[in-house]
Amino acid sequence: MWKEKYKQKLMSIDDAILSLPKRVSVVVSMAAAEGQGFLKNIHKFKDHFEKIKVITCLDMGYYEFFLNKEYEGIFELQTWFYSEPTRKSKHEDKLKILDYIPNNLHMAGLDKVMAEKEEGNTLVFWGTSTPMQEKTGYFNLGISNVYEKDLAENADIVIMEVNEKMPYVHGDTEWHINNVNVVVESNWEIPEIPISEPKEEENKIAQYIADIIEDGSTLQIGIGGIPNAVAKLLETKKDLGIHTEMLTESMIDLFEKGVITNMRKTLWKGKFVIAFALGTKRMYDFVDDNPGILELRGRFVNDPYFVCQNDKMVSLNTAISLDLTGQVVSEAIGTKQFSGTGGQLDTHRGAIKSKNGKGIIALRSTAKKGTISTIVPLLPLGAPVTVPRQDLDYVVTEWGVAHLRGRSAGERAKKLISISHPDFRKELEQEAIKMGLI
């Protein structure tokens, strides 16, 4: 029965693209789950469309439609999170194709649904899935459910790009053939990202962070050298748990060593609670049909209301810079968008509302080979604030820890100067005096 329905809805990728309205907005799955069959081929159908808006998050591939000037005017790419390919298009090639969507990740999907509906646009969800279970008619959304199921439930048209290499992930991840308009088939390899080895400064930062993480804590850990270094220093901890937007390779290491048990979590005890996975083949093998993984929608995983219900919740994220009062910039260099807010503010706010929770922002004290301080008197004009100063809790550099929650502006300035690089402390102190902070 379900196999017959599948056959009736099956199209080639080219035909599926040509079946789209001439004016349309298409949301694709996130990061390593992005529908490559769609993204690699849409530029070939430029003449079919009057205007096509493609909405993505953390693009993994370099796709022709946003890297070539000839597609300006027809194609528009909106993204919730910049990556190397999208930075190239926007900042190096300076093409007028790409735009950033400000967001808090747990609200991103439904906010975009609202915006597209208000504009009167036809909304398509082009998802990625495992092959359909012939017995039940269900697809599995695989390694990302940040916004995918919310979009599928609210789209005018649902197209499922089936990939037999997509891992089967337990959680709120099932989608039935009855609720699919078109099925296409692909066979691309799931993209991998290399493990970032920590540098000397990052190892020093990690030691400070590891010292303030208690046994029995539930962790949200971001990606990069600092989080990887922290994980290596947590091997003496006991009964850690995971409630995180993104599953990282270091979490698997700690699980295999018995450090992560998930047994002292308040919510979903015994489970890795995640919204998406991004890593190496080892990770994708780990999550495949693993009953210890619970992949839920980002609007649950990242909602501060749910995050804070875990006692001893620790949110660990990194920043690019912050000012002396504690305004954190994690997503841009000046006005130039570099990445995105992602779930940073979501999980940080959840952690500081948690019983005995900690919101940690980590950064190196200098940038550009030590020539500039990342702790500055004032942020550059127009720099977007990712974590407002009233939310800031712990800041960690290679020079120490500043606990800022509940402190006055002057107290904050003194503490931040104390963990800035020694080469810049006198200058920062002089600026703080001029500003009337100390």
Side-chain angles (χ1 to χ4, degrees), residues 237-256:
K237 305 293 181 179
K238 297 177 182 177
D239 288 320
L240 299 181
I242 296 297
H243 182 116
T244 189
E245 169 192 338
M246 175 179 167
L247 183 69
T248 64
E249 208 86 20
S250 58
M251 297 173 190
I252 302 173
D253 296 334
L254 292 174
F255 177 72
E256 291 178 346

Side-chain angles (χ1 to χ4, degrees), residues 146 377 409:
V146 172

Side-chain angles (χ1 to χ4, degrees), residues 37 48 67 72 101 171 188 198 208 218 222 258 315-316 330 340-341 362 372 398 402 407 417 431:
H48 170 74
L67 293 172
E72 290 181 347
I101 311 167
W188 36 267
Y208 286 117
T218 295
S315 171
L316 170 57
S330 302
T341 304
I372 62 171
E398 70 271 29
R407 269 68 176 187
I417 291 169
E431 291 298 318

Side-chain angles (χ1 to χ4, degrees), residues 115-390:
E116 295 301 315
K117 298 286 187 183
E118 285 184 357
E119 296 296 324
N121 297 332
T122 299
L123 183 61
V124 175
F125 173 61
W126 190 297
T128 305
S129 76
T130 62
M132 184 188 75
Q133 293 182 348
E134 292 185 13
K135 180 180 177 181
T136 64
Y138 278 96
F139 301 90
N140 183 279
L141 294 174
I143 55 175
S144 184
N145 194 16
V146 172
Y147 52 78
E148 285 81 349
K149 201 159 187 181
D150 287 333
L151 263 297
E153 288 175 348
N154 289 279
D156 300 302
I157 300 168
V158 175
I159 299 175
M160 202 59 72
E161 184 169 329
V162 175
N163 185 348
E164 63 183 21
K165 294 174 181 173
M166 180 60 64
Y168 178 97
V169 184
H170 290 258
D172 184 15
T173 48
E174 308 303 327
W175 193 255
H176 199 269
I177 184 67
N178 281 342
N179 302 313
V180 175
N181 300 96
V182 176
V183 177
V184 300
E185 294 177 340
S186 282
N187 196 31
W188 36 267
E189 297 291 336
I190 308 300
E192 300 180 46
I193 58 170
I195 297 172
S196 179
E197 288 300 320
K199 298 174 182 176
E200 181 183 355
E201 297 94 336
E202 293 169 331
N203 282 320
K204 290 179 181 177
I205 294 168
Q207 186 61 66
Y208 286 117
I209 294 170
D211 289 344
I212 60 175
I213 293 177
E214 304 171 64
D215 291 345
S217 294
T218 295
L219 308 179
Q220 173 271 320
I221 301 178
I223 190 171
I226 293 173
N228 287 343
V230 170
K232 291 180 180 179
L233 294 172
L234 293 178
E235 294 179 6
T236 60
K237 305 293 181 179
K238 297 177 182 177
D239 288 320
L240 299 181
I242 296 297
H243 182 116
T244 189
E245 169 192 338
M246 175 179 167
L247 183 69
T248 64
E249 208 86 20
S250 58
M251 297 173 190
I252 302 173
D253 296 334
L254 292 174
F255 177 72
E256 291 178 346
K257 291 173 181 176
V259 178
I260 289 173
T261 65
N262 291 312
M263 293 308 295
R264 287 176 63 181
K265 293 173 63 182
T266 315
L267 293 180
W268 295 294
K269 199 180 295 289
K271 301 284 188 181
F272 284 85
V273 174
I274 69 170
F276 78 105
L278 178 60
T280 65
K281 187 176 186 303
R282 175 195 178 213
M283 173 185 288
Y284 303 142
D285 290 341
F286 178 79
V287 301
D288 186 37
D289 201 16
N290 184 340
I293 301 290
L294 186 65
E295 185 177 83
L296 302 176
R297 305 176 197 222
R299 67 180 167 98
F300 294 119
V301 176
N302 274 48
D303 188 334
Y305 172 80
F306 290 106
V307 175
C308 75
Q309 292 179 49
N310 285 302
D311 292 349
K312 291 187 179 180
M313 183 71 208
V314 176
S315 171
L316 170 57
N317 290 291
T318 56
I320 293 173
S321 65
L322 77 159
D323 72 14
L324 287 176
T325 69
Q327 297 187 103
V328 177
V329 176
S330 302
E331 62 193 86
I333 300 171
T335 58
K336 185 179 288 187
Q337 195 71 36
F338 183 81
S339 55
T341 304
Q344 182 166 135
L345 185 57
D346 288 340
T347 55
H348 186 90
R349 281 181 165 161
I352 64 175
K353 286 173 65 65
S354 160
K355 182 180 179 181
N356 299 314
K358 297 179 176 74
I360 302 171
I361 299 295
L363 75 166
R364 285 174 287 187
S365 65
T366 63
K368 292 188 177 180
K369 298 181 179 180
T371 60
I372 62 171
S373 174
T374 57
I375 298 174
V376 296
L378 295 169
L379 297 177
L381 185 65
V385 173
T386 309
V387 178
R389 62 183 185 174
Q390 62 267 28

